[in-house]
Amino acid sequence: MLTQQMLQQKKLLLCWAVIQFSLLLLLQQAFAGWVIAIFALLLLYRLLSVFQAKAPVSLKLVNLLAGIIAITFFLQLRQAGVLHFMLQILLLAATARLLALRHLYEARQLVWVHYFLIACCFILHQDMLIALLIFLVFAANLYSHYRLFSPSVHQVNWPQTGRSLLIILPLWLVMFLLFPRLPPFWQIPNANIASTGLSDTLDPGSIEQLVQDDSLAFRVEFDGALPPRQQLYWRARLYEDFDGRRWQVTTLRQNANRQRAANDAAASKDSSLSYRIIAEASQQTGLFALATPVTSSSNVFISPGGLLSSSKPVSQRLSYQVSGSLIPVMLVSEQEQLLNLRTAPGNPQTRQFAYQLKQQYPQNHALVQALAEHFRQQAFYYSLTPPPLGSNSIDAFLFDSRTGFCSHYASASAVILRHAGIAARVVGGYQGGNWHPQQGYLAVRQREAHAWVEYLDNGVWQPFDPTAAVAPERILNSLDSALPEDQRALLDPGWRQLALLQNVRQQLMHLDYYWSVWVLGFNENSQQQLWRNLYRHLPAIAYAVAALFSIIIVVLLYYRLTRSSTDNTPEATKQLYRYLGKVLASKPPSLSVSAFLLQYASHYPAHNVCLKQLIALYELALYKEDVVALKQLKQYLQCHKAELGRLRRAIKNT
């Protein structure tokens, strides 16, 4: 018996170590590299000690070690943030308990700490596949919890477990749909978190690096028809400060007060559109919108310049609704115009070229068209691997290399327009996307990152994309079609080119989209709409529920009547099974009811008198058909209901 108990303890220790390794992987983005290394070493040591049958670490040593590590975590609190610090402390508590665990009864707190850590994984992850992994870890911890309290020889009762699930799952679904949606009690820390997507700085090479990332940026579901691809310019950043080489988001715009809505009159009836975006976690506040957003959902702000932003960094998938117009953005103020007329020293050839264009084409629109024609007719090339540029980067690009990516063309065009006296700025965002008609959404990946220009004409920021003049395939089709074959390999490694893997990846993306819409996207607005629909159809629902209950009652009555008419079981036996049915369910066919209960009377002395009295009354009522004994049996069972309940629990826990 001792050997079997030791074997069970070893299995549970291995299970808990695997659970903690899984939690370390799931929570790794909340930990620095040295923190992950500490936990990994501690868990590896515990695994080796289990395999080698070594004694656990002494409690004093574990407490000393945990105290030193906790102090180290506390000293890094400012960098890690409060939430990540709490996750570190929780995992440290679980690991320390596992290191010092000697007896299984000491593991009760360990199992509950695991539950807290598993729940915390949903703070950092919302992907469907990661959610499945989290549920697997939860199932493993639940199984270890069961094994911790069940007898070593007892097997899982799968039929009973299935019946419990049939009861729990509908209750869970009702709670998910109808329970009030509470706001989160946490805030993801902002410090030292890696971000994805466009940054506040744009220089030659930044977009080229981003487009080699094939991960999702956001997905869009339109309420109406999909706009033409050449209108799918998703604005995310405005780069207005130029130092001669790189562009930056001006501090004036970074510190601008957010406002709740733009000018409703700006959206004409013919060009208005409405769409919902599911943005991936980027750890940034900037979001995405087409042209001029007019209204947005409550979790998103419309800032000056027609940009969308969140009140805090997007650390989880964010779903928001936007309605707006495809007409260009209006000028905000005279200060904005002056800001976008500033020029930087250097690039003398570009300055001279701009003066020449201004003399030939005094009208803003005509000058922009001439610039597009210049890019179209001259030997300019679109490339993912442009040559490096010198100090006068614009001159080197326009008059020497003539090879670049979208950021090169947008930067050069904005500088030319500013030198020509036209207010201009570079816009960073995404262009295009992959439309999935059956699923009804547009998937925009990081590789669709793009840069273009907006220039001021009659108080309106008109869009101008010089890339469309050099490589129109990029705008009308995709990035792949605009690049030579040798550069497409940079976008898709060899294994991604396999058709089977691409198909599997796409199907998983579709499933993940439905997960985002139906589960993650079920917010308080969706719930309020559900409540309104239920209230509207309340009479029909009440009639349906009443009809269903009536059918169930009729079926049960019919079953009871037919069973009673064909049931030849003696009344005394029925009474015993009514109170001791679960106990008598394990009775072997070879034993009588009296003999079976007599065995329990000898095994449980505390219930000996009660069981023997029951047996005596039962035999009188059954074999002698004594009506008085049957009545006394019913009364005795009713009076000793509590004691019989204690007997059932004692037998169950044995």
Side-chain angles (χ1 to χ4, degrees), residues 366-623:
L367 190 148
V368 171
Q369 292 300 317
L371 181 58
E373 195 63 27
H374 175 76
F375 284 130
R376 191 177 294 114
Q377 292 181 356
Q378 299 297 318
F380 283 92
Y381 302 97
Y382 189 70
S383 174
L384 192 60
T385 56
L389 304 174
S391 56
N392 292 318
S393 58
I394 305 298
D395 283 355
F397 165 67
L398 285 175
F399 304 103
D400 294 329
S401 71
R402 297 196 171 196
T403 301
F405 204 58
C406 60
S407 55
H408 294 77
Y409 290 98
S411 177
S413 299
V415 171
I416 291 172
L417 293 175
R418 286 191 178 187
H419 281 306
I422 303 173
R425 61 194 182 190
V426 176
V427 185
Y430 297 82
Q431 199 284 322
N434 190 14
W435 176 249
H436 300 280
Q438 293 183 347
Q439 290 73 28
Y441 71 90
L442 182 79
V444 182
R445 299 186 177 274
Q446 296 293 350
R447 66 167 51 183
E448 268 89 37
H450 193 53
W452 62 96
V453 176
E454 287 180 347
Y455 69 96
L456 191 62
D457 188 22
N458 295 323
V460 176
W461 289 103
Q462 298 288 349
F464 167 54
D465 189 358
T467 302
V470 180
E473 313 87 34
R474 164 65 182 89
I475 309 304
L476 298 174
N477 193 358
S478 65
L479 175 63
D480 302 58
S481 61
L483 294 174
E485 181 138 0
D486 59 333
Q487 295 187 17
R488 291 180 204 168
L490 298 174
L491 300 178
D492 284 319
W495 63 271
R496 280 189 187 166
Q497 297 178 9
L498 297 175
L500 178 61
L501 290 180
Q502 286 184 349
N503 185 48
V504 171
R505 186 168 173 236
Q506 185 166 310
Q507 296 304 321
L508 290 175
M509 184 182 70
H510 295 333
L511 289 174
D512 187 69
Y513 173 73
Y514 295 135
W515 165 266
S516 300
V517 172
W518 295 339
V519 180
L520 303 182
F522 188 78
N523 52 23
E524 57 273 11
N525 295 329
S526 305
Q527 191 178 58
Q528 290 174 6
Q529 183 63 37
L530 176 64
W531 277 108
R532 285 193 289 268
N533 292 335
L534 289 176
Y535 181 78
R536 190 181 303 117
H537 300 93
L538 190 59
I541 295 173
Y543 289 139
V545 171
L548 180 63
F549 271 103
S550 300
I551 293 172
I552 293 174
I553 291 173
V554 169
V555 170
L556 290 176
L557 287 174
Y558 176 78
Y559 175 75
R560 188 178 183 88
L561 290 173
T562 54
R563 184 181 177 186
S564 300
S565 61
T566 58
D567 190 5
N568 297 322
T569 305
E571 183 64 23
T573 306
K574 288 181 180 179
Q575 291 297 322
L576 274 186
Y577 270 91
R578 179 181 176 186
Y579 291 90
L580 294 172
K582 292 183 179 180
V583 175
L584 295 172
S586 59
K587 182 183 73 68
S590 58
L591 282 181
S592 65
V593 172
S594 299
F596 185 70
L597 291 179
L598 197 59
Q599 290 181 352
Y600 280 123
S602 60
H603 290 145
Y604 298 93
H607 306 282
N608 183 285
V609 175
C610 176
L611 287 175
K612 286 186 176 179
Q613 183 64 29
L614 278 179
I615 294 170
L617 291 173
Y618 170 73
E619 289 181 345
L620 285 174
L622 179 66
Y623 299 116

Side-chain angles (χ1 to χ4, degrees), residues 66-82:
I68 295 173
I69 296 174
I71 292 173
T72 308
F73 291 164
F74 181 77
L75 295 177
Q76 300 292 321
L77 176 62
R78 185 179 294 250
Q79 295 180 358
V82 176

Side-chain angles (χ1 to χ4, degrees), residues 170-233:
L171 291 176
W172 168 82
L173 182 60
V174 170
M175 291 184 65
F176 175 79
L177 293 175
L178 304 181
F179 197 80
R181 315 298 290 181
L182 301 177
F185 300 105
W186 59 83
Q187 183 172 356
I188 302 296
N190 301 336
N192 295 337
I193 299 179
S195 62
T196 61
L198 296 165
S199 67
D200 290 341
T201 302
L202 180 72
D203 56 12
S206 57
I207 297 287
E208 292 91 312
Q209 296 173 2
L210 186 58
V211 298
Q212 297 182 44
D213 182 3
D214 194 42
S215 61
L216 277 170
F218 57 95
R219 285 174 282 198
V220 192
E221 182 181 283
F222 290 92
D223 291 346
L226 174 71
R229 185 179 175 86
Q230 57 268 30
Q231 293 182 337
L232 295 177
Y233 282 85

Side-chain angles (χ1 to χ4, degrees), residues 14 161 324 356:
L14 291 175
T161 304
Q356 293 174 0

